[in-house]
Every structure is written in C-alpha cells, then in structure tokens.
Amino acid sequence: MVDIKVVNKSRHPLPGYATVLSAGMDLRANIADPITLRPFERRLIPTGLYIALPPGFEAQVRPRSGLALKHGITVLNTPGTIDADYRGEVMVLLVNFSQEDFVVEDGERIAQMVVARHEQARWEEVEILDETERGAGGYGHTGVK
C-alpha cells in the first residue's frame, strides 16, 4: 500500500477499489454539462482530481472494459501515464470507436487508474548484444501454437 496525496475539486467521492483484489480505481467525469462524443471523436474529460505520486511511482489511466465492450468507448493513449512530478488535473482522453453518439454524464465512471512502481533506465552502450534463442525475430516470429 502506498500513500498518495490528492486534492479533490470534483463533486464526487475519491476513487476507490471495488474489491480487495482490484488493481484499478474508477475515475469519474467531473463536468458541468453532459459531453456528447460523436463517432470517432476524442475529448479530454476532466476528473477534478490532482495527485502527488511519490518518486518511483506512476499512475496509469486505462479503459473500463464495460464501456469498451458495450459502447466502443476507450482511452485513446492507453495506458496514459501520469508522472510523479505532474501536478495538473487528471484528465482522461476518451475516444468513441462506435458508430453512434455517446453521452458522458457528470459522475460517470469513464476510466480506471492503476498506481504502479517503475524503474528508470540508464543506457549502457556496447558494441554487441548477447545471443538469445529468439535473436532478431520480430512480430509473429514465435509462431502460433
């Protein structure tokens, strides 16, 4: 468990876990008026949340499977990454991949957020890489079994 500072400027409760084993917390739209997403339209939807993640952590904004399955609504840059030094409002970039308009209502659960540890990489330049069984095989190289 990690403690995260949060400012809630929305009219909604803080995100929480639906079950004790849930990985993600639902994010809610914090909007004055409903927003209509037309087919293939994308919009930034505010949440009213501002967070301060500790060093070594990120928050990933991911689609809600029910919205994707039932309505074709997903997060366009999935997963969207919120870095530990970002202090602006948490926003969700929704896109409508369906053929019908979709109306986002205030308080609607629009995405989920997963808090995860991460490492930063340091490059080590070398002349050659070690050999592996796969080698340079790319997409589809391992075949279908």
Side-chain angles (χ1 to χ4, degrees):
M1 190 70 69
V2 61
D3 294 323
I4 298 174
K5 294 178 181 163
V6 59
V7 174
N8 186 0
K9 294 185 179 182
S10 80
R11 296 171 291 285
H12 312 292
L14 288 174
Y17 296 100
T19 70
V20 295
L21 296 179
S22 293
M25 300 175 266
D26 286 336
L27 295 174
R28 296 180 182 272
N30 187 57
I31 51 180
D33 298 304
I35 295 174
T36 299
L37 279 175
R38 306 219 184 283
F40 299 100
E41 184 179 12
R42 61 190 178 271
R43 293 278 296 271
L44 268 177
I45 310 295
T47 66
L49 300 173
Y50 301 75
I51 62 176
L53 295 162
F57 285 84
E58 66 165 327
Q60 300 172 2
V61 179
R62 301 178 180 187
R64 291 194 64 239
S65 57
L67 282 180
L69 176 65
K70 296 173 188 170
H71 304 286
I73 303 300
T74 191
V75 176
L76 190 57
N77 62 323
T78 188
T81 296
I82 301 170
D83 294 309
D85 56 353
Y86 177 69
R87 294 297 182 268
E89 183 175 9
V90 174
M91 305 283 275
V92 177
L93 180 55
L94 287 185
V95 63
N96 180 356
F97 281 133
S98 79
Q99 301 296 322
E100 300 173 7
D101 289 356
F102 180 80
V103 179
V104 179
E105 302 283 350
D106 181 50
E108 184 166 359
R109 296 177 300 153
I110 57 170
Q112 59 180 322
M113 182 171 66
V114 173
V115 176
R117 277 186 205 278
H118 71 82
E119 297 289 333
Q120 286 191 329
R122 182 175 39 243
W123 296 111
E124 177 186 348
E125 285 193 68
V126 296
E127 295 297 320
I128 59 170
L129 300 176
D130 59 315
E131 294 292 326
T132 66
E133 183 179 336
R134 180 177 183 173
Y139 291 99
H141 177 74
T142 56
V144 177
K145 294 183 181 182

